[in-house]
Amino acid sequence: MNLEYFKKISTGLIPVGCKDQDTQKEIESRGARLDSTDEDYLWYRKARMLMSTDSEIGTILSELDNCSLECDGLTRVISLILSRAGIAHDVLAGKVQMDGSSRIVQPHLWIILSDNTMIDFRIRMWMGDQVEVPHGHFDPELFQHIHYHGAAIEDWEKENSYALILATINQIDVTSFEKKLLHLPTEKTN
C-alpha cells in the first residue's frame, strides 16, 4: 500500500475493491457516495460526514434541534427565519419512506432550498436516530434510500404570526438566527 492510500483513509474515505460488487452495493445502500476511483479501489465517503454540521446553514439551524416542536412547527419556524434572512426556499408536505421498510411517515413537512438541498430535523423522530436517516441540512442525493414524496405548499405564508408564536413559546430568537444567516452566500428571494 502506498502513501496515497493512507492519505485517503485519513480523510475518512472508505476503500472498496473494484471487483467487490456486493460490498459496493451494501455501502451505497447505507448512504455512502462514490468519491473517487483508482486502479485498485472505489473510494466512498460516509453519509455521516455529509450531514448538517458540514454546512454553515446546517450548523446555525442545528441550534433549533432541541426545541420541543415537531415537523410542522419546526418547519414553520425555520421557514420564517429563512424568509427574514431572504433565503429562497419551498415548504413541502407529503410522506417519507426508507428502502426495505414498510414504515411510511405521513404527513410530514420539510424544506427545500434553491440548490435542491433539504432541511429536515424531524424525520429521525419517526425513522430512528441512525446515520442512514438524514438530519438537518443535507443533500438528498446522498440518501437515495430515503424517498421524500410531496408537493410544495403553494399558499404557505412564510411570514406568519403562528410561526412567530411558536418561536416565542419555545424561546427561539428569530432575529438572532436571521442575523446569523444574512451573510451566507445563498440565492436570495426577491
Side-chain angles (χ1 to χ4, degrees), residues 75-102:
T75 297
R76 285 179 186 278
V77 171
I78 291 173
S79 177
L80 173 66
I81 291 167
L82 294 173
S83 296
R84 288 191 173 183
I87 298 174
H89 67 283
D90 286 313
V91 174
L92 283 81
K95 64 183 180 178
V96 184
Q97 185 171 17
M98 185 181 340
D99 285 347
S101 172
S102 61

Side-chain angles (χ1 to χ4, degrees), residues 16 27 33 64 70 77 80 100-101 107 119 128 133 137 145 163-164:
V16 176
I27 197 166
R33 71 170 171 87
L64 299 169
E70 293 192 14
V77 171
L80 173 66
S101 172
I119 298 173
V133 179
H137 176 230
H145 60 288
L164 195 53

